[in-house]
Each structure stands twice: as C-alpha cells, then as structure tokens.
Amino acid sequence: MERTDPEGHGPVRFGPPLPEDGLPVLPELSAVLAAAAGRAGSEPVGGGRALLEAACGYWDRRGLPTEPDRVVAAPGSPSLLLALTAALGGDVLVPRPCAAWWAPYARLLGRPAFHVATPAECGGIPDSYALLETVRRVREEGGDPRLLVLSVADDPTATVAPPELLHEALEAAVGEGLHLVSDETWRDTLHVPHDTVLVSPAEMLPGKVTVVTDLAGALLPTGWPAAVARFPGGEAGDALRARVLDVLTALGARVAAPVAAAATYALTEPEPVTARVEAAVRLHARVAAAAHTAVATAGALAPPPQAGRHLYVDLDPLRTALSGHGVGDAQELEDFLTARLGMPAPGGHRFGDDLGALRVRLSTGPLLGGTDEENAQCLGSPSPLELPHAQRALTLLGSVFDDLRDDAQRWEPPR
C-alpha cells in the first residue's frame, strides 16, 4: 500500500495554510476582540460555557441538535485532528487529494495514513469500492485502519460531494468499523447555496461521526485560531470526547480568551457576521468562476468550484509546454507558477496527489488586490471584477495560462 511518506522532493512534509479570504477584518469582530483584550488568561481546555453554547446554536441551525457536553473547542482544527487521531489509535484513511494538514498529524504520531481514490464526480470523500479495497489490503498487510477523515465541501478540489455518493462512502466505512471525522470547515462557503445540496455525514450517521469545523473557513480571520468539534452521543462518543480532552490538556491547547470572545460572537451569527459571510462568498464565487474560465480556456482541467476560496487545476494537457520550461512534476510546477503569478500556487503533492501529476491549488484571495483598501473595494463593489486591480490580477492569470496553451500548440508534432 502507498503511504503518505515524505516524497523526498521539496518541502512536502507539511502543507500550505488554508486559503485566506484576503479581506479586512469585520469591524464588529475587531471590536469584540479588542473589548476582551484585557483578559490575560485563556479558555478552559475544551472551551468555556459561552463558547460551547454558541457552537451548539450554530449546529442547531444546521439541523444537527447538539448539547454543550458533546462539544470541544480548540485553537484550530489541526489540534483537534491530532487529538482525535491520538485518541482513536490505529491507521488513518484519507481521500486523494485531501486537505494538506490532514496526513501530517498521523505521521507525527507514527501512524500510517493511506490515501483512497475519490469518485470522478467530486473530491473530499472516498470512492466506496476503493475504500473497501484499501481497507482489505491494509488489513492483509497487518494494518489496523480505524479512522476515515473526509470533507463534503472540499479543500483542495472546491467540490461538494453529492449526497448519494456520500451515503455509499459512509455505508462502506461503517461496514468496516471505521470512525468518521467530517471536516466541515467550508460548509458555509457554498457558491450557489440554493442549488447545491450539502448533507453532513452526521445527519446520515448520527452515532458514528465527529464533526470538526475550523472557524477560519467563514467566520474568523485565519490568524485567529479557533475550531469546534461535535461528538456523537452515547457512551462511545462520551469516551472519545474524554480522551480528546486528555490529549488537548497534555498539549496545552487552549483558545485564547480574546479569540474565544470573537469566536463566541461569530458562532451566534449576528447580522453583521452573516452579511459579511454572504458578501465574501459572493465575491470569491465570482473570482473563482472567472479564474476557472481562464484556466479552462487555456486547456487546463479543473472541476467547477462550488465552495471555498480556491480551485484545483490539472495542467497535464499542457505538459509538453511545461516541459519546455523545465517543469516535470508538481514541485517544479509550484515553483514555476508561484514565480509567474506572484502568488502561492501549492502543488498537488502537498495534498496527497502523486508528485508526477501536474496539479496545483490556486486561491482567489490574492486576486482581490494587494492592500486592504483594494480588497475592501472588491467587497463593496457591485462589479468587483471590473476594478482595475482585480482586472490586472485576472489578466495576468489568463495570460500565464494562455502562453502555456500557445506553447503547447506550437510544440505539437505535425500530424
């Protein structure tokens, strides 16, 4: 079985951070944080009562009734996943590709992490047959798969898993005795929410799924680390939550008091927060659609982005042109596009894809401008893509990919 060991080519052990929204901090959030800045301490391990109750309200509004004794808060989702992996033990299964931060925490604990192929229609979840085959082979080789991490609104592919495919994957996972962790960081960033059906795995299998939500997905700036986990009910869920709290205690993983105040405010979803989230999602959806058009016009492949602030591009159709620039793998592609675009373009190898595959994740945040003023203009404009700085960024993106298309056509052998 192929494991997520370091590739031996470039700094691939740990991946890039979450795509930032590129927008100024919401003033109301800043005010809450500033008002709590005099609190020198931190929350209790697992979060204080106000934060946990706010998280319950957040999930209640999404059809997942929750009590505070089933919730844990931590300074970011990586610490939660680390604690869950340590508490559950065994080997970890993740889709290919997957969020860059999932597999390193299994490796940190000395646990094997196995990638499973995804369906053709989406990323974020394993193909059910591939999952069954992977589990069988891991066990034949003496492994002990216990945990499957998945995401219905996916980083890096920006796709949303159809409910029927999700159901097939969950049935296969539960049939093999796996515990599921559903990373729902991006669930509030659907580009067309009224036309996109997003179902949490916890709705389908209430007693088998732990939900993890990093508030950096939609509610807080990425530099204010806060995340919440919702555990299943029953004795097994209670025991898992207790073990996770033990690990977080050992790590000293507490949410800073000012950040906890901001997180509590954001999770209650007052009007300023919901208005900002909706405006930010609309903006990034427009930019993502324009970026997708640019790369697709040039001949690259990318699933149409449905959520998040990113898109995942496969440049294999332009491999001939890229080889002329000395690009033959994902690390070289990352270096090439980062230099050409003047923005991060992490290669697919950072998300568990093969090093030889020419794939990158492109974020929409850097396309909004280089200053807070330019970014704020994009947020407040009815036609953000017509602003000069946004036009320049998208024109540069299009020209880089168009040049590769022209090179590919020029270097095609005569028929």
Side-chain angles (χ1 to χ4, degrees), residues 82-355:
L82 174 64
L84 281 161
T85 305
L88 287 163
D91 302 339
V92 180
L93 299 166
V94 294
R96 181 189 297 277
C98 69
W101 55 274
W102 287 359
Y105 294 94
R107 289 201 297 265
L108 183 64
L109 294 167
R111 307 280 170 73
F114 297 94
H115 281 286
V116 185
T118 56
E121 295 88 343
C122 67
I125 65 171
D127 174 82
S128 57
Y129 293 104
L131 177 62
L132 293 172
E133 176 63 13
T134 302
V135 170
R136 181 189 66 81
R137 293 175 62 187
V138 170
R139 287 178 176 153
E140 282 183 352
E141 295 177 7
D144 182 21
R146 296 188 193 177
L147 170 62
L148 170 65
V149 187
L150 48 77
S151 180
V152 286
D154 186 42
D155 172 18
T157 65
T159 58
V160 176
E164 61 275 13
L165 294 181
L166 176 63
H167 185 263
E168 292 175 4
L170 298 186
E171 277 196 329
V174 171
E176 295 299 330
L178 304 177
H179 185 83
L180 295 102
V181 169
S182 176
D183 176 9
E184 299 185 7
T185 295
W186 301 104
R187 71 165 296 157
D188 296 322
T189 64
L190 301 184
H191 294 180
V192 189
H194 297 297
D195 295 335
T196 307
V197 179
L198 185 150
V199 178
S200 169
E203 296 178 66
M204 293 184 175
L205 295 171
K208 301 291 185 179
V209 180
T210 299
V211 176
V212 172
T213 299
D214 197 307
L215 303 193
L219 297 176
L220 289 182
T222 56
W224 299 6
V228 287
R230 176 190 184 272
F231 291 81
E235 292 184 6
D238 292 342
L240 177 59
R241 180 177 182 271
R243 292 196 300 273
V244 165
L245 285 171
D246 286 342
V247 177
L248 293 175
T249 300
L251 295 173
R254 303 168 183 260
V255 182
V259 173
T264 301
Y265 174 77
L267 282 165
T268 60
E269 298 181 289
E271 191 278 333
V273 170
T274 57
R276 163 57 76 86
V277 170
E278 290 172 1
V281 170
R282 283 195 303 270
L283 173 60
H284 283 283
R286 288 183 178 183
V287 178
H292 181 266
T293 297
V295 301
T297 300
L301 304 174
Q306 297 175 284
R309 304 186 284 261
H310 51 282
L311 63 158
Y312 199 56
V313 185
D314 185 348
L315 284 87
D316 193 74
L318 303 174
R319 183 178 289 273
T320 302
L322 287 163
S323 65
H325 295 281
V327 174
D329 64 28
Q331 180 63 58
E332 292 165 350
L333 179 62
E334 174 183 311
D335 296 339
F336 174 80
L337 286 180
T338 297
R340 290 294 181 96
L341 296 173
M343 58 182 272
H349 59 306
R350 300 189 182 274
F351 308 99
D353 256 331
D354 292 332
L355 180 64

